[in-house]
Amino acid sequence: MTEKYIYSFQKGDGKNKVLLGGKGANLCEMTQIGLNVPPGFVITTKTCLDYLGNHQLPDGLLEDVKAHIGEIETLSGKQFGDRRNPLLVSVRSGSAISMPGMMDTILNLGLNAQTLTGLIEQTGDARFAYDAYRRFIQLFGKVALGIDDQKFDLHFAAVKKQAGIKSDVGLDAEHLRQISELFLQVVLEETGKPFPENVYEQLELSIKAVFNSWMGKRAVDYRREFHITPKMANGTAVNVVAMVFGNMGNDCATGVGFTRNPGTGVNEMYGEYLVNAQGEDVVAGIRTPKPVQELAQEMPDLYKQLVDLRNRLEAHYQEVQDYEYTIERGVLYCLQTRNGKMNATAMVRTSVEMMAEGLISKEQALLRINPELLEQLLHPQLDPENKAQSVAQGLPASPGAAFGKCVFDADTAELMGRAGERVILLREETKPEDIHGFFAAQGILTSRGGKTSHAAVVARGMGKACIAGAEDLQIDVRAHQAIIGDLHIREGDTITIDGSTGLIYLGEIAMIEPSFSEELKILLSWADEFAELEVHANVDTPERARMALSYGATGIGLCRTERMFNASDRLPLVIDMILADNKEARQQALTRLFPIQRDDFKQLFEAMSPYPVTVRLLDPPMHEFLPSEHQLEDDIKALNLYKLMIQGQQVTLETLGLQALLPTPFNYLNEDVINKAIAKKELMLKKVKELYEVNPMLGHRGVRLGMSYPEIYQMQIRSILEAVALCTQQGTPILPEIMVPQVITLQELIKVKSFVDQIQQEVESQYGIALEFKFGTMVETVRACTRAGELAQVAEFFSFGTNDLTQATFSFSREDAENKFLPLYNETGLLEDNPFEVLDAKGVGQLMKMTADSGRLTRPDIKIGICGEQGGHPQSIRFCHHIKLDYVSCSAPRIPIARLAAAHAKLLEDDYRMG
Ligand code: ADP
Ligand code: MG
Ligand code: MG
């Protein structure tokens, strides 16, 4: 054999996760640094790919497996398939990227009728041996032979019921023997063949099954959902590990732990264990495990050893670890370790603390956190003022609060989620096959299992709220309901769960935005030390500006003035302006709008002082301020009916003369008022029809409005400049910028600049002060990109409007693309990402680079930024850093993400590759 397919734990390279899988590499590493790992070996991921490609195991592999089993035999002193002193092994999957619960592990392999009797004689514990046996038959039957779990579960439940036993622990050796017999029968019935007695045949079938699971639906779905490409993980390794037993009695246990609390980041022993149980029992949530602190009482010496194990793991990996262990008759074995998945709060806290402890550097502290994770910190929390009474409590398994309609299975969750409903998934316990329900749900609630159950781990990874082990709840999945005492919660009922406290509430509870922790402030201040890009915010109001400031924004990159127009006290004025059929009438409406806009800008500048504020002149097509044609037609219809009623009122009065008996609303409105309303609505309707455009987004908007209705832009410019004058007068330091949208030609810019120059002169002489501000343009049309060199003659700054620029580059209209064909393009790989979320570096990015280069040629100190939605996306931010933009601007809640991403962009700039 030329290729090396197998590595023993003593030899494998602990750094090579791609070849050995994460689990295998770490088993090698732990063995080699002297931790107590049972002997074993790894079959490489490359072998898996060969097998899947050729539909057969590589030549010589099985001989090599035998040789390595031989090594385990030597180390353990046991023999594989031997009647007197049998070696049992586990067969475990593990790829380069940890995919929790995605592929199945077979335990106790090597048991057959012969070795079973051997095991009974050797341990003197028939109950233990039969327990191991029945577990093996079921797992092997399921994983290697493809038999439905339920076939086994039915028999198991039947024996339990017959014996009148509630908990698995209550079953005795005879029950378990019966169950094993029934299970063997199931295998015979389902496969037509007896259960394989030959232990090497068992091993071969299991290895193949693990390899095949790489292409199983669950694994493929998971990789698609989390964008795990073949470059990141290709194929699964197989780990064959000598079994150690946590279920040989009360001096045995099995547990899982985190080196720090993954919910809060607190530096403490964290985890759960079960006495007299096998590993999977803790994770599966079949019995509710005990917190690790109790081990300190129950097995003090082993607890000390566990603390030592934890310390050694962290010191070695310089990262929080998620580990599995088993205690067999007083001996502690470590069975797995990997980097712990934590929520954002915990990641931030551990980064700051591990840096302070000297365990990691500042760069490591920043780089170990995926910027997107910070979004969780801005997740809603329950309003502490809420007076709602909880109806039950479970374990707080993944923090954050969520409300939604109850569903009891993953398929329904997916269906309702697709239909845009918020759902909470309720299960007794979850399994890997429920994963699509997690994606669709706002939160997860289980009645069994602990904080390290499948539900908890997966929900934490996704940053979704989760409560586990809510034992007060009786979840009846078949009847689609949950029962708490005499309270019935049915499918479709709304509940709220708080994953930070474990409390469950009926109905929807008010939520609040969380505040910044001290640790986050520290971490982001470190990020700012490295970042070269500034982070600005897209905000339009003083309140949002203050919020953005508190998140660490150092400017407003985009203030959309139309948002100010939409406020209820201004909209009527804006409508009058639009309805005006001549310049004078329009000017009148604008004169009334002017002081309002000026005050808006003044407040915004003050809120952001001393940072820059970029104000965009009016951009959207005017019809957006008017109701829709349909709405207006309905209104007019209603008004006409109302008029008829008023006429009816008159007739009533004339006939009966009983004015005093009429209800009040009929007393003051008369036909004149209604006629006025009708006339105005009809005018609006006429205007809406006039303004109709086939494609308004490519129509009369942006600077084109400024060209046709200069008085609108002039009013806005005057409001901005007077606000500047007022701030300057009162000594508030500000850096205002006027930005023109949708520009395609230098002539447009020159024209708007001439308004600015004129008004500047007027305001300066009126206030007797010089005004400081910048004038620039958005770059959001392809023509602006190609004419950037000229535009820079007038523009002192460029701001890429990558929403429109992306539409223009792709010739996609965003709404149509996202609703119709884009999902297909993404799913089939025709396009890797949604270009409206992730900046398309290869296409749009090329235009940006060209624009930046030619703009800088004309005006070397030109300031360049991005204000499209993509400006808050880490991958896009790396590109922006790469082409040396000055700033990115994004919505307020994405600012922490952008700050961290900007630091990453700098720290990782040398290995930047486009797309
Ligand atoms: P997963 O990837 O789902 O965590 P594992 O391969 O880690 O699967 O195994 C499932 C469970 O079986 C774990 O609790 C693990 O600790 C336990 N286990 C695996 N191998 C052994 C072994 N050789 N001896 C005892 N327990 C084992
Ligand atoms: Mg597994
Ligand atoms: Mg594991």
Side-chain angles (χ1 to χ4, degrees), residues 23 90 92 101 103 105 107 241-244 279-280 283 324 326 335-336:
K23 196 182 286 172
S90 63
R92 316 165 69 186
M103 281 171 288
T105 292
L107 300 177
V241 190
M243 283 302 300
V244 290
E280 36 169 16
V283 186
E324 297 178 359
T326 283
L335 289 171
Q336 186 177 337

Side-chain angles (χ1 to χ4, degrees), residues 497-572:
I497 62 172
D498 184 349
S500 316
T501 58
L503 292 170
I504 302 161
Y505 304 85
L506 294 183
E508 180 188 333
I509 311 293
M511 311 223 174
I512 50 150
E513 298 279 324
S515 62
F516 259 38
S517 70
E518 267 322 295
E519 285 92 5
L520 182 58
K521 281 188 193 142
I522 295 172
L523 186 90
L524 291 177
S525 73
W526 295 347
D528 297 343
E529 287 172 25
F530 291 97
E532 283 172 3
L533 281 167
E534 282 183 32
V535 178
H536 294 188
N538 297 346
V539 299
D540 323 301
T541 62
E543 301 86 73
R544 298 294 287 184
R546 277 186 280 273
M547 181 200 239
L549 264 183
S550 75
Y551 289 173
T554 51
I556 292 179
L558 175 64
C559 162
R560 301 170 168 98
T561 46
E562 60 272 18
R563 301 247 168 121
M564 298 170 168
F565 280 5
N566 268 321
S568 55
D569 55 333
R570 315 166 187 190
L571 195 56

